[in-house]
Amino acid sequence: MVFPSLCDIFDSHPSIKPEWRDEFWNVVRWTPNLIWQILTKRPENFANLLPPDWGKGYPNVWLGVTAENQQTAERRIPLLLATPAAVHWVSIEPLVSAIEVDLAGIDWVVVGGESGRKARQMNPDWVRSLQSRCMATDIPFFFKQWGEFDQSGTRVGTKSSGDLLDGTTFHAFPACYTSALVAHNQPKLGAEDKDEEPNPKPPTGDGKPSKDPKRVAAAHRAWATMRA
């Protein structure tokens, strides 16, 4: 998966050159093996800034919007659903107030609290409400983090607050992703596998054993990639 978190491809600021956006979409087209999770606060620009060949959506692009409160959810989610995409998703992070909207048509919901010195506390009931509605309508629900405050309301910092909601981890993904992941992890059977060593040692680059932990780890990663 690729999540371009440091940019908004639908930002129409005049300082952004059109060719930069064209280059981005070219990279997306050239990498059909990657899932691009594209998120924006500006769904009103979909009509003008999606590529001409978007059609019903690129199969490797999950199109999403952020919705941190009721007002933004009511405005952005309908614009998202009016735009064709392989996967429609909503990132409700930071969740700063209760949200009561119709989630029909949404394929994935991600929820999280706020980080930073001026972070606002997230009410656990807001999270529970969204999780319950997702569960009732079979929408995959991913609870990312509590943010600066843990579930009890104590300010402990993002690293310590965790991602457990009432003691449970919710890390669900859309069915299209989980199905592809299962298929990818199935053992590969074939004639070429019969004489293969059960646990072959990965090469280290020069054919000689290495005692450098970083080098050995890199070799293992390279070997795993070649066998994938």
Side-chain angles (χ1 to χ4, degrees):
M1 287 187 179
V2 180
F3 178 53
S5 60
L6 299 180
C7 71
D8 186 340
I9 194 65
F10 297 103
D11 189 342
S12 58
H13 193 277
S15 66
I16 300 175
K17 297 180 180 180
E19 54 265 34
W20 295 349
R21 190 175 289 106
D22 293 340
E23 290 176 4
F24 172 83
W25 290 119
N26 280 334
V27 172
V28 174
R29 294 186 193 96
W30 294 335
T31 53
N33 57 312
L34 298 179
I35 294 175
W36 290 81
Q37 297 177 330
I38 297 180
L39 194 63
T40 184
K41 294 181 179 180
R42 303 169 177 86
E44 64 275 9
N45 292 333
F46 283 158
N48 294 327
L49 298 182
L50 280 169
D53 62 345
W54 179 255
K56 294 183 179 180
Y58 292 172
N60 63 329
V61 172
W62 296 4
L63 195 62
V65 296
T66 58
E68 59 273 16
N69 54 35
Q70 184 71 24
Q71 181 181 8
T72 55
E74 290 179 351
R75 182 170 62 86
R76 295 172 184 166
I77 291 177
L79 292 172
L80 171 66
L81 293 175
T83 305
V87 169
H88 294 101
W89 67 291
V90 181
S91 175
I92 306 177
E93 184 186 19
L95 176 59
V96 297
S97 70
I99 293 181
E100 298 288 338
V101 293
D102 184 4
L103 295 173
I106 296 298
D107 301 301
W108 191 35
V109 171
V110 178
V111 174
E114 192 168 25
S115 305
R117 185 170 57 87
K118 297 182 179 181
R120 291 156 287 185
Q121 183 180 345
M122 181 171 60
N123 189 322
D125 286 339
W126 303 342
V127 186
R128 294 187 186 106
S129 175
L130 288 165
Q131 189 275 328
S132 296
R133 278 183 286 143
C134 286
M135 185 175 181
T137 53
D138 294 324
I139 298 174
F141 177 83
F142 191 109
F143 183 55
K144 185 177 176 182
Q145 62 170 4
W146 279 103
E148 285 293 313
F149 299 85
D150 64 16
Q151 185 167 344
S152 70
T154 303
R155 187 162 198 154
V156 296
T158 303
K159 292 183 178 180
S160 300
S161 61
D163 61 355
L164 297 180
L165 174 61
D166 297 327
T168 302
T169 300
F170 294 94
H171 285 177
F173 284 90
C176 62
Y177 173 73
T178 53
S179 298
L181 192 62
V182 169
H184 176 75
N185 289 329
Q186 289 295 319
K188 299 176 182 179
L189 302 178
E192 67 277 9
D193 298 320
K194 292 182 179 179
D195 298 325
E196 191 173 66
E197 293 182 30
N199 295 296
K201 297 180 180 179
T204 56
D206 55 8
K208 298 179 181 180
S210 174
K211 296 182 180 180
D212 184 345
K214 292 183 178 179
R215 189 178 181 190
V216 172
H220 275 277
R221 288 195 297 270
W223 182 255
T225 300
M226 288 187 290
R227 288 176 53 82

